[in-house]
Amino acid sequence: NAGVTQTPKFQVLKTGQSMTLQCAQDMNHEYMSWYRQDPGMGLRLIHYSVGAGITDQGEVPNGYNVSRSTTEDFPLRLLSAAPSQTSVYFCASSLTGPNTEAFFGQGTRLTVV
Amino acid sequence: GNSVTQMEGPVTLSEEAFLTINCTYTATGYPSLFWYVQYPGEGLQLLLKATKADDKGSNKGFEATYRKETTSFHLEKGSVQVSDSAVYFCALSDYITDSWGKFQFGAGTQVVVTP
């Protein structure tokens, strides 16, 4: 019953460092997405993918890259971390189609100092 | 574009009190509506959903009815417990205007239930 697995759970970066947040799902979901959660702003979509080899930008894509080489994995890369990227990051997956629910990972709490 | 507006928190209430969290939405298509719950330190999990007008979603004593005429999906529970303390998110997915699987979330409402 793994579902959506995110690693790491916590991370502290220095400004300018790069890192990759990992996300894997074992439900054979076509759709995967990354959100960031900030106080008072709900969840904002960073990038999403509707299948292997297909990605697109969401609401707040600047400073982040993604790729989708397999159905299972959808890593999020921070190219040059900035304090404004301090947030909690959630990966989600779902089937494509109407009325489907999203399944979320446990989240990664990232602090950029 | 599509949007979700929900009441600000925190909402603080005593055990066994009645809970209502207001949620209204704007959508150009035929959205499905969801309530997600986030317990401390965890990810979001689906609480309930409704896929068409007048549908009522229910789970764990929580209910919400899809009201197209008022574009609302208010969450209610008749008697809350301390274990219901969490952040609640209203969300929509509109397969007409967005890729299937793309969700729009409200800002979240923190609920604190005291013994």
Side-chain angles (χ1 to χ4, degrees), chain A residues 2-85:
Chain A
V4 179
T5 302
Q6 285 183 240
T7 56
K9 287 194 173 183
F10 301 94
Q11 183 71 48
V12 179
L13 287 180
K14 293 183 178 179
T15 297
Q17 287 185 317
S18 63
M19 79 160 294
T20 299
L21 278 61
Q22 302 292 343
C23 176
Q25 54 93 7
D26 61 0
M27 297 174 283
N28 203 31
H29 286 168
E30 305 98 324
Y31 189 96
M32 296 185 73
S33 52
W34 277 101
Y35 293 86
R36 58 177 290 171
Q37 182 182 22
D38 301 294
M41 304 189 74
L43 276 75
R44 292 182 293 169
L45 182 64
I46 303 172
H47 285 285
Y48 65 96
S49 167
V50 298
I54 305 170
T55 64
D56 205 348
Q57 297 181 349
E59 184 184 352
V60 288
N62 292 342
Y64 307 95
N65 271 358
V66 292
S67 60
R68 183 97 178 268
S69 57
T70 67
T71 299
E72 294 78 19
D73 299 299
F74 190 46
L76 178 72
R77 297 183 190 83
L78 279 70
L79 308 173
S80 177
S84 61
Q85 294 178 303

Side-chain angles (χ1 to χ4, degrees), chain B residues 1 3 9 11 16 19 39 43 48 68 104:
Chain B
S3 66
V11 174
E16 298 184 3
L19 170 68
Y39 298 105
L48 54 84
K68 192 170 175 62
Q104 193 78 28

